[in-house]
């Protein structure tokens, strides 16, 4: 068979369902071989969109998503999405075409060292120079992409190699799951010893618990001990935020109720926590702390992350070992920090999950979640959105001011139902990400929440959603500017610079792509607008809501003065 045929057979053996990408001259043989493959090619309008779709495929399934581009500009266009997948620990295999090997040694048309370019944002990459090596290269890329910590791998496929005749067969992708070594018993015992001396322990949960579905054993651990749990942006949903032991989400960058909890903590169990998510100098404050690191890999070296114990193994297995050794003597009184949860719940408009109303609740903060002001308060949008979404419906947040509000004001009830990019943290992820997610879960409501700045960065993928009749819902918070940058500038300098821009008519733009377009006319109209969008079965929807971002500075001022105890 042709080498490009063998390449496709090897991808099929790895269980690839979709390839997201843009065809080009140098990957033409591969595209023709696709005609005889059961893999579906999803044509995107930009390679960056393809990489983001592969990212969300990998993030939601645990299997590598696959994206494809050609050489030169096709490859450079992929880099942002690939970098995002890599730093957010999402398994992805990126394939690029390349010029004939006969001209790679010299200056020639569109020729550049793509493998070298991808090195900082991939775990591994190589060029296929011998067609016989295709099965090994593909199997290695998929294996490495999935291994902890997962990330991106890159395969470059020169056009002349793709054309040659080759004999061979794919390497069988054994469905047996890779097993990690059991945790060291001495490390387990030392972790429990840290509990012996603890008075106000706390659990910090990160993205690693999402990836490997550690919720069950984590829930067992906190129930046995009564220790309260704080989630990072990328750990949302590991413990249901309705659970009395959830302290919701940390990482806003300002003093908050959760920061007070960390100030009081003497032992921190950092479980599946990645320093890329939330720097330790933000939470390792106040009382001197013992840190227990439980993760797939040893702890990163950081002056503010000096671990007393490192339990390096499968997270769920490590927690199981600890749970088996716990007795009633490890049940902690969390009253010193539990009241902080009530402050957050009242502010989110979720008083029904609070234990009791406190006299020092900030009524102005509480009022915003039910305000009928227009433009609409961020708190009101997210409260209403949470009420109409089912527990396992999925919200994909882009990067911008809205991301901070989603992290703080959107309680999450199941793992992987609120996706926030906070490793590479790239704008533009929500539109293509919501498309891929809706393809995977057509039975769920999927919302790609964007600012107007982030929406325009990959607006062309509306055409992809319309072409494939994918009824994802894209929710735009419109304020005519880069809201997060303005927020940070005004916090630091008390003024802003070059953050405002003009928008197109988003409704006409959506309709021109073949989407349903809805402008929210009032705070009370928002729910009806979203329900109309969710009712679509064969077309995407764009819902635009003017947002009152004056709440950004009000929140900063309130948190700066915060004393919750």
């Amino acid at each position: 068979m042709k080498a490009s045929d063998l390449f496709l057979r090897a991808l099929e053996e790895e269980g690839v369902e979709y390839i997201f990408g843009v065809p080009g001259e140098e990957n033409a043989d591969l595209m023709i071989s696709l005609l005889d493959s059961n893999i579906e090619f999803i044509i995107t309008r930009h390679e960056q969109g393809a990489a983001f779709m592969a990212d969300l495929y990998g993030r939601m399934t645990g299997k590598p998503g696959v994206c494809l581009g050609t050489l030169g500009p096709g490859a450079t266009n992929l880099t942002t999405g690939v970098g995002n997948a890599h730093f957010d620990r999402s398994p992805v295999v990126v394939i690029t075409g390349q010029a004939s090997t006969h001209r790679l040694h010299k200056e020639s048309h569109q020729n550049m060292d793509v493998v070298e370019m991808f090195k900082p944002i991939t775990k591994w990459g190589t060029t296929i120079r011998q067609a016989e090596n295709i099965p090994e290269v593909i199997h290695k890329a998929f294996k490495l992409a999935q291994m902890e910590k997962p990330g991106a791998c890159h395969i470059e496929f020169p056009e002349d190699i793709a054309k040659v005749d080759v004999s061979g067969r794919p390497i069988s992708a054994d469905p047996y799951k890779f097993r990690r070594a059991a945790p060291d018993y001495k490390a387990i015992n030392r972790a429990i010893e840290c509990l012996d001396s603890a008075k106000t322990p706390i659990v910090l949960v990160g993205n690693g618990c999402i990836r490997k579905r550690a919720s069950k054993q984590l829930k067992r651990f906190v129930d046995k001990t009564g220790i309260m749990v704080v989630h990072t942006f990328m750990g949302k949903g590991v413990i249901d935020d309705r659970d009395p032991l959830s302290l919701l989400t940390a990482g806003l960058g300002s003093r908050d109720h959760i920061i007070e909890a960390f100030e009081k903590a003497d032992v921190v169990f950092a479980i599946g926590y990645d320093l890329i998510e939330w720097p330790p100098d933000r939470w390792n404050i106040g009382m001197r702390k013992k840190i227990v690191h439980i993760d797939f890999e040893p702890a990163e070296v950081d002056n503010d992350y000096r671990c007393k114990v490192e339990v390096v193994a499968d997270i769920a297995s490590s927690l199981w070992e600890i749970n088996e050794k716990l007795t009633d003597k490890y049940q902690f009184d969390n009253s010193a920090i539990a009241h902080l949860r009530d402050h957050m719940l009242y502010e989110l408009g979720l008083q029904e999950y609070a234990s009791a109303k406190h006299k020092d609740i900030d009524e102005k903060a509480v009022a915003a979640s039910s305000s009928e002001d227009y433009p609409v308060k961020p708190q009101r949008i997210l409260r209403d959105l949470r009420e109409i979404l089912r527990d396992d419906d999925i919200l994909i947040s882009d990067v911008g001011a809205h991301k901070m509000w989603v992290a703080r004001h959107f309680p999450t009830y199941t793992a992987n139902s609120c996706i926030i990019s906070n490793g590479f943290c790239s704008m533009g992820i929500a539109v293509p990400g919501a498309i891929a997610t809706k393809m995977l879960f057509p039975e769920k409501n999927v919302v790609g929440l964007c600012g107007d700045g982030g929406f325009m960065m990959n607006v062309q993928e509306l055409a992809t959603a319309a072409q494939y009749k994918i009824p994802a819902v894209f929710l735009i918070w419109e304020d005519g500017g880069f809201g997060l940058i303005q927020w940070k500038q005004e916090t630091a300098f008390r003024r802003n610079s070059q953050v405002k821009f003009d928008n197109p008519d988003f409704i006409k733009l959506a309709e021109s792509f073949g989407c349903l377009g809805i402008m929210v006319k009032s705070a009370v109209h928002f729910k009806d607008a979203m329900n109309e969008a969710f009712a679509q079965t064969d077309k995407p929807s764009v819902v635009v809501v003017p947002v009152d971002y004056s709440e950004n500075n009000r929140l900063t001022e309130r948190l700066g003065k915060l004393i919750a105890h």
Side-chain angles (χ1 to χ4, degrees):
M1 69 182 83
K2 272 205 322 182
S4 57
D5 295 329
L6 179 59
F7 197 101
L8 265 297
R9 300 294 89 74
L11 293 181
E12 291 170 356
E13 184 63 35
E14 298 294 338
V16 175
E17 300 174 276
Y18 304 105
I19 297 175
F20 305 96
V22 178
E25 182 179 347
E26 281 71 21
N27 57 31
D29 286 273
L30 199 62
M31 298 305 301
I32 297 302
S33 293
L34 266 167
L35 296 174
D36 299 318
S37 172
N38 58 16
I39 296 173
E40 183 177 0
F41 190 83
I42 305 298
I43 302 172
T44 63
R45 298 306 191 269
H46 192 285
E47 289 89 351
Q48 184 182 120
F52 278 131
M53 291 180 196
D55 174 355
L56 264 295
Y57 180 96
R59 201 178 304 226
M60 301 305 293
T61 67
K63 302 184 298 183
V66 180
C67 56
L68 175 103
T70 188
L71 78 174
T76 58
N77 283 349
L78 285 163
T79 54
T80 297
V82 172
N84 197 83
H86 186 63
F87 283 91
D88 279 13
R89 316 307 188 195
S90 177
V92 162
V93 172
V94 53
I95 302 164
T96 59
Q98 183 54 284
S100 168
T101 56
H102 303 299
R103 63 182 179 94
L104 293 182
H105 65 287
K106 61 184 179 181
E107 183 177 317
S108 59
H109 181 66
Q110 293 188 314
N111 175 28
M112 58 173 286
D113 192 337
V114 176
V115 174
E116 191 68 25
M117 178 184 72
F118 272 110
K119 272 187 178 179
I121 54 173
T122 54
K123 296 177 71 175
W124 178 76
T126 194
T127 300
I128 296 176
R129 297 190 179 274
Q130 300 291 332
E132 292 78 9
N133 294 340
I134 287 172
E136 287 183 351
V137 168
I138 289 179
H139 191 59
K140 181 174 181 176
F142 276 78
K143 181 176 181 178
L144 291 179
Q146 293 175 85
M147 288 175 62
E148 286 291 336
K149 293 177 181 178
C153 289
H154 170 228
I155 301 173
E156 182 179 75
F157 198 18
E159 59 179 338
D160 59 327
I161 303 299
K163 297 177 184 299
V164 303
D165 291 329
V166 62
S167 60
R169 63 180 60 188
I171 295 175
S172 175
D174 192 333
Y176 179 76
K177 293 182 179 179
F178 298 110
R179 307 302 300 177
R180 298 184 67 84
D184 175 66
Y185 74 94
K186 290 183 179 179
I188 294 293
N189 290 339
R190 290 185 64 194
I192 294 173
E193 287 170 7
C194 287
L195 285 177
D196 281 326
S197 60
K199 289 184 173 58
T200 53
I202 197 169
V203 172
L204 175 60
V205 167
N207 186 31
C209 291
I210 293 276
R211 292 196 304 269
K212 294 304 180 185
R213 310 297 192 265
S215 292
K216 181 178 178 181
Q217 289 300 326
L218 180 62
K219 172 70 169 130
R220 188 176 165 217
F221 174 71
V222 298
D223 282 346
K224 275 174 166 276
T225 60
I227 302 175
M228 299 196 77
V229 176
V230 173
H231 301 82
T232 66
F233 283 19
M234 293 172 65
K236 283 174 73 71
V238 174
I239 295 293
D240 187 329
D241 279 335
R242 294 167 298 199
D243 192 305
L245 293 173
S246 171
L247 265 177
L248 309 179
T249 305
L252 188 61
S254 301
R255 180 173 175 77
D256 206 343
H257 304 286
I258 292 169
I259 293 298
E260 291 202 32
F262 276 100
E263 286 177 337
K264 293 179 170 67
D266 60 349
V267 174
V268 177
F269 274 75
I271 305 177
Y273 163 70
D274 197 321
L275 274 66
I276 205 169
E277 301 180 63
W278 189 32
D281 62 351
R282 302 284 180 87
W283 55 263
N284 192 1
I285 56 178
M287 186 179 294
R288 186 175 180 85
K289 304 180 194 323
K290 294 178 181 177
I291 299 173
V292 178
H293 171 90
I294 302 177
D295 199 16
F296 303 98
E297 292 187 351
E300 173 66 275
V301 175
D302 187 287
N303 194 50
D304 294 291
Y305 194 67
R306 302 182 186 185
C307 300
K308 187 73 173 178
V309 185
E310 295 187 36
V311 182
V312 182
D314 179 79
I315 294 172
S317 178
S318 298
L319 289 172
W320 183 86
E321 291 276 5
I322 291 172
N323 288 332
E324 290 298 298
K325 294 178 179 291
L326 294 179
T327 63
D328 290 343
K329 85 170 193 173
Y330 295 109
Q331 186 72 33
F332 289 88
D333 176 7
N334 60 35
S335 58
I337 60 174
H339 70 284
L340 299 172
R341 167 182 164 82
D342 291 344
H343 287 269
M344 291 293 295
L345 292 173
Y346 272 89
E347 191 173 333
L348 272 57
L350 297 171
Q351 295 92 329
E352 65 269 31
Y353 299 114
S355 58
K357 185 167 184 178
H358 292 267
K359 294 179 180 178
D360 56 349
I361 291 292
D362 185 338
E363 296 297 340
K364 290 182 180 178
V366 174
S369 64
S370 57
S371 169
E372 294 189 4
D373 289 354
Y374 186 84
V376 190
K377 305 281 188 188
Q379 301 96 314
R380 173 65 188 266
I381 299 171
L382 291 173
R383 191 201 72 172
D384 286 0
L385 184 61
R386 180 67 277 178
E387 286 182 357
I388 61 178
L389 289 177
R390 297 164 298 198
D391 288 9
D392 61 349
D393 287 338
I394 301 171
L395 174 66
I396 314 289
S397 175
D398 212 277
V399 174
H402 60 279
K403 179 187 84 167
M404 313 307 286
W405 287 104
V406 168
R408 191 173 191 270
H409 278 256
F410 187 80
T412 306
Y413 306 143
T414 60
N416 253 11
S417 62
C418 180
I419 303 297
I420 301 177
S421 172
N422 210 42
F424 205 54
C425 207
S426 174
M427 295 177 71
I429 186 175
V431 172
I435 293 170
T437 303
K438 185 64 175 177
M439 289 173 60
L440 288 167
F441 304 104
E443 75 285 0
K444 297 182 181 182
N445 293 320
V446 176
V447 178
L449 195 163
C450 318
D452 41 11
F455 177 75
M456 291 297 291
M457 289 189 175
N458 270 313
V459 64
Q460 70 281 347
E461 300 309 335
L462 290 183
T464 303
Q467 176 177 337
Y468 292 97
K469 301 184 185 303
I470 301 168
V473 176
F474 309 107
L475 174 60
I476 305 173
W477 289 19
E478 185 176 26
D479 73 314
F482 293 115
L484 181 58
I485 304 306
Q486 179 176 341
W487 187 357
K488 292 190 173 186
Q489 286 180 355
E490 290 176 353
T491 299
F493 306 108
R494 304 300 176 192
R495 54 182 179 166
N496 64 72
S497 174
Q498 312 305 317
V499 293
K500 291 298 183 181
F501 49 72
D502 294 330
N503 281 321
D505 183 325
F506 285 126
I507 304 306
K508 291 181 179 178
L509 180 67
E511 291 171 350
S512 73
F513 277 109
C515 305
L516 174 67
I518 308 173
M519 174 62 73
V520 174
K521 301 295 181 61
S522 68
V524 296
H525 177 221
F526 174 73
K527 282 187 176 180
D528 288 341
M530 292 301 295
N531 283 325
E532 182 181 353
F534 290 143
Q536 305 304 306
T537 58
D538 63 353
K539 68 163 60 173
S541 300
V542 175
V543 178
V544 183
V545 54
V547 63
D548 178 8
Y549 269 154
S550 66
E551 286 296 309
N552 295 346
N553 291 333
R554 292 192 186 104
L555 178 63
T556 300
E557 181 182 1
R558 190 161 68 247
L559 296 185
K561 298 176 180 178
L562 179 66
I563 301 176
H565 53 272

